[in-house]
């Protein structure tokens, strides 16, 4: 029996029922081909001794009996083949399910192990070190418990001094006047928050303030993620970028350090849209600061490259995507309107973290029980 006829590949993600239907279809096709070949090569050769324009009654009866016997035999073979293959697929599917369950159980155990090693936490630290948070740190360190614990401890120390959840828009609004970094008014196809970065619109020199502004917007993007999302997308527009407007290497290095070491697995993808050739020299230096997990998320895209266009289309609806990124929407940054939105978000942030918010300043509630040495955690996701 010939099983070499063309058919769709059997994907490992198919259900047992779908696999069985595909197997049966292939067997039936091979069965039909075998039957036709048998009729021609065996039954007719055996029963028709004198070829003519029609069969005699004897020849017709002979062919009929031959075909009946062969159909019966082939039916038994088909049933046996189907039974054997079904058992094989069932064992394979059961094995895969068991393996997936074992891997899930192992990961849950590692999350609990990191939680135990970190020790008892209170206040904002306990909110920060949620199971999804611990999972991100483990994923960033390939599920190595020791490395994940060390990474998390370093982040907690950083957050205890940087205090990102306490930054308010009025402190960093001057950095955002040109719209060099801001949260887009649309999401990608997966519903992720989108940050738009336009390095050609750099308007300040203070590295400290630039990082404070960026961290504020990362925190805000995380706060505005849908419940089923943990990552954001970045769109980087290189319009008007030049070496004179580019961020210093030190600034780029600090940006990478904060993103990949203190916000692990928060970046889904970063599109570098139409970077000039001059950027290649800058990139050759910067890329050595990027770890492997972050590096593969960086995508260079060019408007005249069909593959780039297709890639952008797979992530974004062109009706929402600004024309600067190959879409149809107009990119208009209104600093006043954006500031209103950020001020509203500041109230939500303060409420979440148990902080008192005012338009001009903010402070911790004296009744919150947080000490000055309390480790400040990252926001967890809430609905907008």
């Amino acid at each position: 029996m010939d099983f070499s006829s063309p058919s769709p590949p059997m994907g490992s993600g198919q259900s047992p029922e779908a696999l069985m239907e595909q197997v049966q279809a292939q067997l039936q096709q091979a069965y039909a081909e075998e039957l036709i070949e048998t009729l021609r090569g065996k039954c007719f050769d055996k029963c028709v001794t004198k070829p003519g324009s029609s069969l005699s009654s004897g020849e017709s009866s002979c062919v009929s009996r031959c075909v009946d016997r062969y159909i019966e035999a082939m039916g038994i073979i088909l049933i046996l083949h189907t039974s054997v293959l079904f058992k094989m697929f069932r064992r394979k599917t059961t094995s895969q399910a068991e393996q997936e369950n074992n891997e899930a159980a192992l990961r849950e155990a590692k999350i609990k192990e990191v939680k135990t090693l970190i020790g008892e936490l209170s206040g904002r630290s306990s909110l920060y070190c949620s199971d999804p948070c611990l999972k991100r740190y483990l994923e960033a360190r390939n599920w190595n418990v020791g490395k994940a614990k060390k990474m998390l401890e370093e982040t907690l120390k950083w957050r205890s001094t940087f205090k990102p959840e306490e930054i308010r828009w009025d402190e960093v609004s001057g950095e955002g006047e040109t719209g060099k970094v801001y949260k887009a008014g649309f999401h990608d196809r997966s519903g992720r928050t989108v940050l738009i970065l336009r390095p050609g619109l750099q308007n300040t020199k203070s590295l400290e303030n630039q990082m404070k502004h960026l961290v504020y917007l990362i925190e805000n993007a995380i706060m505005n993620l849908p419940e089923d999302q943990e990552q954001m997308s970045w769109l980087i527009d290189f319009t008007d970028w030049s070496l004179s407007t580019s961020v210093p290497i030190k600034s780029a290095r600090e940006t990478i350090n904060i993103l990949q070491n203190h916000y692990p697995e928060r970046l889904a993808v970063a599109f570098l849209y139409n970077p000039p050739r001059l950027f290649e020299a800058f990139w050759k230096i910067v890329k050595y600061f990027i770890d492997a997990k972050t590096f593969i998320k960086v995508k260079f895209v060019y408007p005249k490259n069909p593959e780039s266009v297709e890639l952008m289309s797979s992530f974004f609806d062109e009706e929402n995507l600004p024309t600067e990124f190959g879409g149809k929407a107009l990119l208009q940054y209104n600093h006043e309107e954006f500031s209103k939105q950020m001020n509203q978000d500041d109230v939500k942030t303060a409420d979440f973290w148990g902080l008192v918010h005012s338009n001009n300043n903010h402070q911790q509630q004296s009744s919150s029980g947080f000490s000055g040495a309390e480790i400040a955690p990252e926001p967890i996701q809430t609905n907008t």
Side-chain angles (χ1 to χ4, degrees):
M1 187 178 292
D2 181 15
F3 291 94
S4 62
S5 56
S7 60
M10 295 185 185
S12 59
Q14 290 179 293
S15 66
E17 292 78 8
L19 286 170
M20 282 304 302
E21 289 180 2
Q22 189 170 342
V23 168
Q24 287 176 334
Q26 291 181 353
L27 286 172
Q28 288 169 359
Q29 180 181 350
Y31 170 67
E33 293 174 354
E34 186 84 5
L35 180 59
I36 292 172
E37 182 65 24
T38 298
L39 288 174
R40 182 176 64 246
K42 293 184 179 180
C43 292
F44 275 85
D45 289 346
K46 175 183 177 181
C47 298
V48 182
T49 57
K50 296 180 179 180
S53 59
S54 62
L55 297 177
S56 67
S57 59
E59 290 172 335
S60 179
S61 297
C62 179
V63 170
S64 179
R65 288 193 302 272
C66 177
V67 170
D68 287 343
R69 284 196 299 270
Y70 200 80
I71 288 177
E72 181 179 358
M74 288 294 290
I76 294 172
I77 293 172
L78 180 61
I79 291 172
L80 290 174
H81 273 293
T82 302
S83 177
V84 170
L85 289 171
F86 178 75
K87 290 179 180 179
M88 179 182 69
F89 287 136
R90 186 171 58 185
R91 285 197 300 268
K92 182 178 180 181
T93 302
T94 301
S95 176
Q96 288 176 339
E98 290 176 350
Q99 183 179 354
E100 290 174 0
N101 289 336
N102 291 339
E103 289 178 355
L106 180 60
R107 291 186 175 187
E108 286 297 323
K110 289 190 175 184
I111 290 173
K112 291 180 180 179
E113 186 178 354
V114 172
K115 188 181 297 185
T116 300
L117 292 173
I118 291 296
E120 186 176 352
L121 299 169
S122 62
R124 288 177 279 172
S125 295
S126 63
L127 289 175
Y128 178 68
C129 293
S130 62
D131 285 359
C133 172
L134 301 182
K135 181 181 177 182
R136 288 193 298 273
Y137 279 84
L138 281 163
E139 287 181 345
R141 290 297 178 260
N142 295 317
W143 292 88
N144 182 300
V145 172
K147 292 181 179 179
K149 172 182 175 289
K150 180 181 178 181
M151 184 184 193
L152 179 57
E153 288 175 337
E154 290 174 351
T155 293
L156 294 176
K157 291 178 182 178
W158 172 79
R159 293 184 72 91
S160 69
T161 57
F162 204 97
K163 300 185 183 301
E165 81 286 355
E166 296 185 16
I167 305 172
R168 297 295 174 263
W169 178 247
D170 61 279
E171 302 173 45
V172 296
S173 61
E175 290 285 335
E177 288 181 351
T178 61
K180 63 185 179 185
V181 185
Y182 68 97
K183 183 182 66 180
F186 60 92
H187 295 81
D188 66 12
R189 291 189 184 275
S190 297
R192 292 182 287 244
T193 303
V194 177
L195 280 186
I196 292 180
L197 296 84
R198 300 189 289 178
L201 299 182
Q202 181 60 260
N203 61 328
T204 63
K205 299 293 184 181
S206 170
L207 174 60
E208 180 181 355
N209 290 337
Q210 290 170 5
M211 293 301 102
K212 196 172 183 179
H213 176 238
L214 178 63
V215 167
Y216 171 87
L217 289 171
I218 291 175
E219 293 277 331
N220 181 269
I222 292 171
M223 184 188 70
N224 285 287
L225 284 170
E227 287 186 351
D228 61 342
Q229 286 293 345
E230 293 191 351
Q231 296 181 310
M232 69 188 104
S233 296
W234 284 17
L235 285 172
I236 306 175
D237 174 21
F238 281 88
T239 301
D240 297 326
W241 184 91
S242 65
L243 287 179
S244 61
T245 60
S246 68
V247 297
I249 297 296
K250 183 179 180 181
S251 178
R253 184 175 184 175
E254 183 63 15
T255 298
I256 294 168
N257 171 60
I258 289 174
L259 181 63
Q260 66 187 18
N261 292 327
H262 302 314
Y263 293 94
E265 297 304 312
R266 284 300 196 183
L267 180 68
V269 63
F271 290 102
L272 278 60
Y273 193 82
N274 202 27
R277 287 186 176 275
L278 199 58
F279 179 77
E280 293 180 6
F282 183 79
W283 176 250
K284 286 180 180 179
I285 300 174
V286 171
K287 68 180 183 181
Y288 291 106
F289 305 137
I290 304 177
D291 64 29
K293 282 185 172 290
T294 304
F295 187 83
I296 62 175
K297 298 176 182 180
V298 178
K299 310 294 182 183
F300 282 74
V301 293
Y302 300 90
K304 295 182 179 181
N305 184 309
E307 292 183 0
S308 292
V309 174
E310 184 178 352
L311 180 63
M312 290 293 286
S313 178
S314 68
F315 276 85
F316 300 97
D317 184 342
E318 65 176 5
E319 297 295 331
N320 297 328
L321 194 65
T323 55
E324 286 80 355
F325 297 100
K328 296 182 178 180
L330 295 178
L331 179 62
Q332 294 180 331
Y333 174 74
N334 185 312
H335 186 62
E336 183 178 350
E337 290 300 318
F338 189 73
S339 294
K340 290 179 181 178
Q341 181 183 349
M342 293 300 98
N343 285 326
Q344 292 173 357
D345 284 350
D346 283 350
V347 175
K348 293 190 295 183
T349 300
D351 289 343
F352 178 79
W353 292 112
L355 305 173
V356 175
H357 176 83
S358 68
N359 290 332
N360 298 319
N361 58 65
H362 58 277
Q363 60 184 20
Q364 289 184 323
Q365 289 181 336
S366 58
S367 60
S368 66
F370 300 155
S371 67
E374 176 67 21
I375 295 174
E378 70 180 344
I380 60 176
Q381 300 160 17
T382 59
N383 286 329
T384 56

